[in-house]
Amino acid sequence: DLAADKSALLSLRSAVGGRTFLWNTEQTTPCNWTGVACDGANRVTALRLPGFALSGNIPEGIFGNLTNLRTLSLRLNALTGSLPLDLGACADLRRLYLQGNRFSGEIPPLLFGLSNLVRLDLGENEFTGEISSGFKNLTRLKTLYLENNKLSGSLLDLGLGLGLGLGLDQFNVSNNSLNGSIPKSLQKFDSDSFLGTSLCGKPLGACSDEGTVPSQPISVGNIPGKRKSKLSGGAIAGIVIGCVVGFLLIILVLMVLFRRKGDERTRAVDVETIKQLEIEVPGEKTAVEANEPSTAAVNSSGARKLVFFGNATKVFELEDLLRASAEVLGKGTFGTAYKAVLDAATMVAVKRLKDVTMADREFMEKIAVVGAMDHENLVPLRAYYCSGDEKLLVYDFMSMGSLSALLHGNKGAGRSPLDWEVRARIALGAARGLDYLHSQDPLSSHGNVKSSNILLTNSHDARVSDFGLAQLVGSSSATPNRVTGYRAPEVTDPSRVSQKADVYSFGVVLLELLTGKAPSNSAMNEEGMDLARWVHSVEREEWRREVFDSELMSLERVDSVEGEMEEMLQLGIDCTEQHPDKRPVMVEVVRRIQELRQPGSELVD
Ligand SMILES: Nc1ncnc2c1ncn2[C@@H]1O[C@H](COP(=O)(O)OP(=O)(O)OP(=O)(O)O)[C@@H](O)[C@H]1O
């Protein structure tokens, strides 16, 4: 029970110390202690103490009591000795992260009894001995990291390739004293997984007659998604100095930014906000050309006009816009967005682009394509202004804000949970908007799909915004949104996007809708995984308990829609496959969302 769990945690604290001394042990429940998580039945299910300055041996008699543990992370500490044998009592363990310690001795057989393990990371320790065939018992294993240890022997003789390699999607044994040939089932991994060993065969060099090749050089290359070799002391010192200098620079930049943001806020109450942005206004009265066809805009020599697209009913002049009261909505990848109130009935969002390096004519040609997009699930681009460095885009203002704000904003008491109907309708609307974009041309894509670019009408219909902008601005200004977890792994240049990369990003949005977690949530990234990888790592039978947003699960009638939620989650997982070819196309995504709703649902057309 919880009391036994608590006393086990206290024993651990006495044995290995570190930041566990910050736990408030007077609390009756340990569930609020940093790094401790419990389930509804009040048992400790996760213990995450990465970089907690823990040191010394873990004695027996602790983990034997924490029998409901599913996640145990003790990575990046200074733990020594062998693993306690009673860890074997934690039969529910799914994820075990022990990398970056000084554990030694043979990899203990107790691990091979933990048959639910999905992720096992023992890298960067001092484990010795051979890699036991006991690993074959771990049939659910998807990750096995053993790099940077002192392991010896071969992989083949131990039968490691027979069952195990097939289900693995992450594997690394680099920098161990291993030899012999690489079994077939492990040959799908890159050479990085085997560097610094004497292993041979695909993906390394062919085996000589003796079955070995000379030791491989240690890789320090920066290949995304691959585990790296240990760095030298000098390199570490360099990194530390670099980090300190970088940190100081960031502080400096933040101070400058905050000062500027303060300025902007002050301007927000000014009635001539946009004018103060120092737009070069033509001396003569500005012309407004409603319904002007885009080609006319391109041919126009006097480019200092607000050029409208489509059948805009509300027409205003550039000067009206410049006079409007405005407030900063936020700074994005492509510039700053403002809300401008022209009159009681007319509000628009104005995006002031930065870093558009292309010539005006080329810009006008490209923006004409964006302006021609017309679909009920897109935020229409109403007009633009283009003159030299100054580029403004005028959109309909969406008063309900973005999906991101709806999901993650206002966590306070007055918040009403977002029910499944609304979430599913938003998913379908956004998918239809993207499908429309993709259907225009095999090469047309959005390039920056994320929840802050999915805006909502008053009736919670989704409209995708910001399409076409990734291709307008230079790649230098397009901040890598990979850090926030939306970018597909194959995208290295933000200005070179693809439909399959959009599908990946849309998949992350689906996962965000279902988990309620922001992809940049650092707590989730504790194990170095972004939202997509984290969801992929959780077994299906754990979804209800671990993955779905607790707000959703607390809603009435959740049982009747759980099947739909599971199918939507599977779709999110399919969209976020690492390999682009494995992801569905957008039209298929729309079809699957429509189909997963039960008959009679308002989503079914
Ligand atoms: N037409 C609009 N109506 C209402 N709010 C908008 C509109 N366009 C943008 N916003 C909001 O303004 C803020 C800034 O938007 P912007 O698009 O500039 O940046 P972003 O979406 O945060 O990032 P990115 O530029 O990478 O898309 C966001 O909160 C966004 O939801």
Side-chain angles (χ1 to χ4, degrees), residues 329 332-333 349 351 396-398 402 448 450 452-453 455 466:
L329 288 168
T333 316
K351 197 160 281 189
D396 282 0
F397 179 72
M398 309 292 288
S402 70
N448 196 20
K450 56 183 177 177
S452 68
N453 282 336
L455 304 180
D466 263 12

Side-chain angles (χ1 to χ4, degrees), residues 328-339 348-352 379-380 394-405 446 448-456 465-466 469 478-479 481:
V328 176
L329 288 168
K331 275 194 175 163
T333 316
F334 310 112
T336 305
Y338 301 85
K339 169 186 170 186
V348 291
V350 180
K351 197 160 281 189
R352 189 184 188 211
V379 180
V394 182
Y395 294 92
D396 282 0
F397 179 72
M398 309 292 288
S399 55
M400 289 295 283
S402 70
L403 172 62
S404 172
H446 184 290
N448 196 20
V449 177
K450 56 183 177 177
S451 59
S452 68
N453 282 336
I454 296 174
L455 304 180
L456 303 166
S465 79
D466 263 12
L469 301 193
T479 46
N481 63 0

Side-chain angles (χ1 to χ4, degrees), residues 514-575:
L514 285 154
T515 62
K517 295 184 197 301
S520 54
N521 184 334
S522 56
M524 181 192 336
N525 289 340
E526 191 181 274
E527 306 309 339
M529 282 188 233
D530 58 21
L531 178 59
R533 301 279 68 78
W534 173 71
V535 174
H536 280 244
S537 78
V538 181
E539 294 295 296
R540 198 180 181 101
E541 57 268 32
E542 307 294 330
W543 285 357
R544 186 186 172 102
R545 194 173 158 125
E546 293 203 25
V547 173
F548 292 132
D549 188 353
S550 53
E551 265 192 6
L552 265 180
M553 298 311 286
S554 64
L555 292 168
E556 281 177 38
R557 287 183 53 244
V558 68
D559 289 343
S560 65
V561 290
E562 205 178 330
E564 293 180 20
M565 286 164 50
E566 284 186 356
E567 283 184 52
M568 190 83 93
L569 188 62
Q570 188 57 55
L571 178 59
I573 288 176
D574 294 347
C575 290

Side-chain angles (χ1 to χ4, degrees), residues 217-395:
I218 290 177
S219 156
V220 288
N222 186 22
I223 302 169
K226 295 287 173 296
R227 299 286 295 254
K228 305 301 177 308
S229 315
K230 275 181 179 161
L231 297 172
S232 69
I236 290 170
I239 289 170
V240 171
I241 292 168
C243 286
V244 171
V245 172
F247 181 70
L248 289 176
L249 272 176
I250 288 169
I251 297 278
L252 205 69
V253 170
L254 280 179
M255 283 169 66
V256 172
L257 276 180
F258 272 118
R259 286 192 59 171
R260 286 179 56 183
K261 194 156 191 133
D263 291 350
E264 274 161 1
R265 291 245 162 81
T266 324
R267 282 194 233 131
V269 291
D270 193 311
V271 286
E272 289 193 309
T273 306
I274 301 182
K275 197 167 203 161
Q276 288 182 21
L277 296 175
E278 290 160 15
I279 298 170
E280 214 187 312
V281 188
E284 69 274 42
K285 189 169 173 6
T286 314
V288 178
E289 299 189 14
N291 304 326
E292 182 178 15
S294 50
T295 45
V298 176
N299 293 334
S300 163
S301 54
R304 286 172 180 173
K305 299 168 189 167
L306 205 50
V307 181
F308 281 80
F309 293 108
N311 302 315
T313 45
K314 295 267 183 238
V315 175
F316 41 87
E317 303 188 10
L318 177 62
E319 287 200 331
D320 296 331
L321 201 58
L322 301 179
R323 267 198 298 270
S325 72
E327 69 183 72
V328 176
L329 288 168
K331 275 194 175 163
T333 316
F334 310 112
T336 305
Y338 301 85
K339 169 186 170 186
V341 182
L342 289 141
D343 58 52
T346 317
M347 277 184 279
V348 291
V350 180
K351 197 160 281 189
R352 189 184 188 211
L353 299 182
K354 61 173 184 188
D355 296 336
V356 182
T357 47
M358 65 182 63
D360 283 4
R361 177 168 292 274
E362 190 186 352
F363 175 81
M364 287 192 252
E365 277 169 9
K366 290 201 166 163
I367 207 68
V369 177
V370 178
M373 300 288 176
D374 180 20
H375 188 271
E376 59 182 358
N377 294 113
L378 296 182
V379 180
L381 175 63
R382 293 296 182 202
Y384 74 88
Y385 171 85
C386 165
S387 175
D389 284 347
E390 199 58 69
K391 310 271 188 305
L392 299 181
L393 303 180
V394 182
Y395 294 92

